[in-house]
Amino acid sequence: MPKPLVRLSSRLFPKDKLYPDTILFWCCFGFVFGALLSGVFGLASVIIAGIISLAFSIYFAVKRDIFRKVILIGLVSVFLGSSYFFIRLPDLADIGNDFMGTVSDRPVLSNGIVSFNTKSGEGSFRVTGRSSALINCGDTVFVSGIKKEANSSKKISFPKSIKVVKNGSCPLRDRLFLLKDAIIGSFLKTMPPAEAGLAAGIIFGDRSHIPESLNKASINTGTVHITALSGYNISVIISLFIPLSFFFPKKVKFFIVCLGIILFVLMVEGGSSVIRAALMGSLIFFAKGKGRRASIGNLIVFSAFVMTIFDPSVVVMDLGFELSFLALLGVVYLAPAVKRLFYGEDEKPGNIIGMAIDCFSAELCVLPLLLLKFGSGTIFSVLPNLLIIWTVPFAMLFSFLSGIIYLVCPPLGEIIGLFASAILSYEIKAIIAFDMFL
């Protein structure tokens, strides 16, 4: 009998025993999936999930086995997730023409248009419009002149005005922002403008210094993700803080590393992709400290569950959240299946081919979402990714060292900046070259 290409752990579909991690996986997965259904289909998904769960509960009372228990747990979790989304995020029709809330993420500014998520007692909404005021994460904003007929149920597009009524400044966060600005300033002094902008994007997720032509080229070639904060950023932070905690006990070391991760998340204003990476990185580091092997699949769904609990809107409103999870699922589940298809059980591909398969799997998983959101995307983007992705860790390392050291010793920072600039220049040329052909 042929073995399945995509292997899901037998603990997810047990035959003889219901394991705790099985229950955790299906509870988290069902909850997130239910929230997604509610965000897309509204109240109808809550009612349907409730009816199916009730019907299956009656059937389960007659025939009991482990597999049916797993299905029941998943269905009930779907119902709870869809209900939670519906309760936490009311329809736009439930509020008046004015809305006041707290900015809950890093505002994105492009061509004079700002976009950000807000939270308040009335719910969470994605606000997009024009504002003369500088809006930061944590600020309290007053949105007025909402035209409901021109907006979707969870999004407020181009209201009459967006005003900052209270500055949400935090002394620690403000100091971290100043440090980040100083490091980006070092990039601009030690590298050409395009390379400095790309360095700021790769390390801090700050795309404001990237030239518009390069930004469009990276979108067209499917390489825009290299400027999205990811697990590698978190792994670098962990690598930096582990030596600092070398002489401390394991328990203290874990808290020191977690403190470093938290400070980094605050510095970059905590986008969804970096929060996901921070959660997974902290859990993996904790598992290693306990001498246990972490299941990446379980960590993916658990991280998604935690983020959905705090902000259900991420499952339908946050493109970064969606792209990062789809790409990760492609690498974790689809890539091994492709490798088994071409190389069998025992043989493994070389590093370059393995990296190509990982890129292909990630691109294939995010392609439907890119087509849905932007109407564009190509599977051939695996080619520029293959040329660029292996250089990103070196670009991050040399750029970060250059930015930090320049603040203390400018001449040495400039020397290291030459190495960073050479790598970043190669990446830029590769992106622009492929943009001409794709």
Side-chain angles (χ1 to χ4, degrees):
M1 183 177 178
K3 296 181 180 180
L5 290 177
V6 179
R7 283 185 180 173
L8 296 176
S9 172
S10 59
R11 295 174 73 93
L12 299 184
F13 299 97
K15 296 180 179 179
D16 54 349
K17 183 181 179 181
L18 195 59
Y19 300 97
D21 57 325
T22 305
I23 299 174
L24 176 65
F25 179 90
W26 288 111
C27 283
C28 295
F29 179 83
F31 190 92
V32 175
F33 186 68
L36 177 62
L37 288 178
S38 187
V40 175
F41 299 106
L43 182 60
S45 64
V46 181
I47 298 173
I48 293 173
I51 293 174
I52 294 176
S53 299
L54 179 61
F56 203 87
S57 298
I58 298 173
Y59 178 69
F60 173 71
V62 179
K63 295 184 177 183
R64 298 187 178 186
D65 60 48
I66 300 298
F67 184 71
R68 289 187 176 88
K69 286 182 180 180
V70 170
I71 296 178
L72 179 62
I73 290 171
L75 287 173
V76 172
S77 299
V78 169
F79 172 69
L80 293 175
S82 57
S83 302
Y84 182 79
F85 184 97
F86 186 77
I87 293 171
R88 281 286 307 274
L89 299 180
D91 194 271
L92 189 60
D94 297 334
I95 69 172
N97 294 323
D98 301 327
F99 174 77
M100 183 177 290
T102 303
V103 180
S104 58
D105 67 347
R106 179 178 54 199
V108 177
L109 183 63
S110 177
N111 298 323
I113 299 174
V114 65
S115 183
F116 54 89
N117 287 322
T118 61
K119 290 181 181 179
S120 75
E122 297 171 297
S124 299
F125 297 93
R126 183 74 178 176
V127 179
T128 302
R130 299 184 183 277
S131 175
S132 58
L134 179 62
I135 301 174
N136 296 307
C137 179
D139 289 350
T140 301
V141 294
F142 181 73
V143 181
S144 61
I146 300 172
K147 299 177 181 179
K148 296 178 183 178
E149 65 275 6
N151 296 279
S152 65
S153 60
K154 300 294 183 296
K155 298 180 181 179
I156 301 175
S157 300
F158 295 97
K160 187 176 180 180
S161 69
I162 304 174
K163 298 180 180 179
V164 177
V165 296
K166 183 181 179 182
N167 187 281
S169 63
C170 168
L172 174 60
R173 187 177 62 191
D174 291 344
R175 292 180 183 274
L176 291 172
F177 287 171
L178 290 175
L179 175 60
K180 181 182 73 172
D181 292 339
I183 295 174
I184 293 176
S186 299
F187 296 158
L188 295 171
K189 294 176 182 177
T190 57
M191 307 177 199
E195 284 78 358
L198 186 58
I202 290 176
I203 296 176
F204 297 114
D206 186 341
R207 301 167 59 97
S208 61
H209 299 281
I210 299 178
E212 187 62 27
S213 58
L214 178 59
N215 188 41
K216 289 181 179 179
S218 64
I219 293 174
N220 295 336
T221 56
T223 54
V224 68
H225 64 85
I226 68 172
T227 57
L229 297 171
S230 63
Y232 189 79
N233 300 75
I234 299 301
S235 66
V236 169
I237 297 300
I238 291 175
S239 300
L240 289 174
F241 274 81
I242 284 179
L244 298 177
S245 59
F246 180 79
F247 296 103
F248 293 92
K250 283 187 177 181
K251 291 183 178 180
V252 179
K253 181 182 294 186
F254 171 73
F255 287 107
I256 292 176
V257 171
C258 285
L259 176 62
I261 293 175
I262 292 171
L263 291 175
F264 179 75
V265 171
L266 288 174
M267 179 184 289
V268 298
E269 300 180 70
S272 59
S273 60
V274 74
I275 292 176
R276 185 269 304 163
L279 280 170
M280 292 188 64
S282 300
L283 291 172
I284 290 173
F285 183 75
F286 178 75
K288 286 184 177 180
K290 291 289 185 179
R292 302 182 63 178
R293 196 172 112 186
S295 168
I296 300 299
N298 288 350
L299 291 178
I300 293 172
V301 295
F302 181 73
S303 301
F305 169 75
V306 172
M307 294 179 69
T308 305
I309 286 289
F310 282 96
D311 185 9
S313 66
V314 296
V315 295
V316 290
M317 297 183 194
D318 197 317
L319 184 61
F321 174 90
E322 297 161 356
L323 288 174
S324 65
F325 273 97
L326 285 175
L328 194 56
L329 288 172
V331 173
V332 172
Y333 291 113
L334 182 58
V338 175
K339 292 173 184 176
R340 277 193 293 271
L341 177 63
F342 289 101
Y343 290 90
E345 292 292 328
D346 302 323
E347 190 177 353
K348 292 184 178 181
N351 291 334
I352 295 178
I353 297 178
M355 187 185 301
I357 293 175
D358 289 342
C359 290
F360 172 81
S361 302
E363 295 294 335
L364 190 62
C365 284
V366 302
L367 182 60
L369 184 61
L370 292 175
L371 292 173
L372 179 65
K373 296 286 187 179
F374 302 112
S376 63
T378 173
I379 198 62
F380 295 106
S381 59
V382 67
L383 298 176
N385 273 283
L386 185 59
L387 288 176
I388 291 173
I389 199 69
W390 67 273
T391 66
V392 173
F394 299 103
M396 286 185 64
L397 176 62
F398 284 109
S399 298
F400 186 75
L401 289 176
S402 171
I404 288 289
I405 294 176
Y406 183 85
L407 299 176
V408 181
C409 180
L412 182 57
E414 290 178 354
I415 294 173
I416 299 175
L418 293 175
F419 293 96
S421 182
I423 299 171
L424 293 165
S425 178
Y426 162 78
E427 294 174 353
I428 292 172
K429 290 177 180 178
I431 293 171
I432 293 176
F434 272 93
D435 182 43
M436 298 173 63
F437 297 101
L438 294 180

